[in-house]
């Protein structure tokens, strides 16, 4: 499980995958999302620009990411 701390809300889904080094580029992140390989809060989401906020849980390639807002 990975704790992802964001400084502001919302953050686009593909950016989180990229910044957490789960993919090598933004293009690769967008492709993975389009292919249905990413879940947000238990549901497959194919929206590359899905807005992620604190409390969201992302699952990608058997990695679980919990998103929290920096204090």
């Amino acid at each position: 499980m990975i704790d992802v701390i964001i400084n502001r809300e919302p953050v686009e889904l593909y950016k989180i995958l990229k910044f957490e080094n789960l993919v090598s580029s933004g293009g690769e992140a967008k492709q993975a999302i389009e292919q249905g390989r990413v879940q947000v809060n238990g549901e497959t989401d194919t929206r590359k620009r899905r807005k992620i906020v604190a409390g969201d849980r992302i699952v990608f390639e058997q990695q679980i990411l919990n998103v929290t807002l920096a204090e």
Side-chain angles (χ1 to χ4, degrees), residues 13-48:
L13 176 56
Y14 82 94
K15 291 181 181 179
I16 290 179
L17 297 180
K18 179 181 167 189
F19 294 145
E20 291 300 314
N21 295 315
L22 298 175
V23 293
S24 60
S25 68
E28 185 179 336
K30 290 176 183 179
Q31 185 177 29
I33 295 165
E34 286 177 347
Q35 293 172 347
R37 295 170 36 208
V38 180
Q39 290 185 342
V40 178
N41 299 327
E43 296 183 10
T44 300
D45 200 320
T46 57
R47 295 176 289 169
K48 299 172 282 208

Side-chain angles (χ1 to χ4, degrees), residues 38-64:
V38 180
Q39 290 185 342
V40 178
N41 299 327
E43 296 183 10
T44 300
D45 200 320
T46 57
R47 295 176 289 169
K48 299 172 282 208
R49 297 190 182 274
R50 160 81 187 254
K51 305 300 185 201
I52 301 298
V53 296
D56 284 344
R57 175 179 266 193
I58 301 164
V59 178
F60 174 67
E61 304 276 318
Q62 300 179 344
Q63 294 285 334
I64 299 171

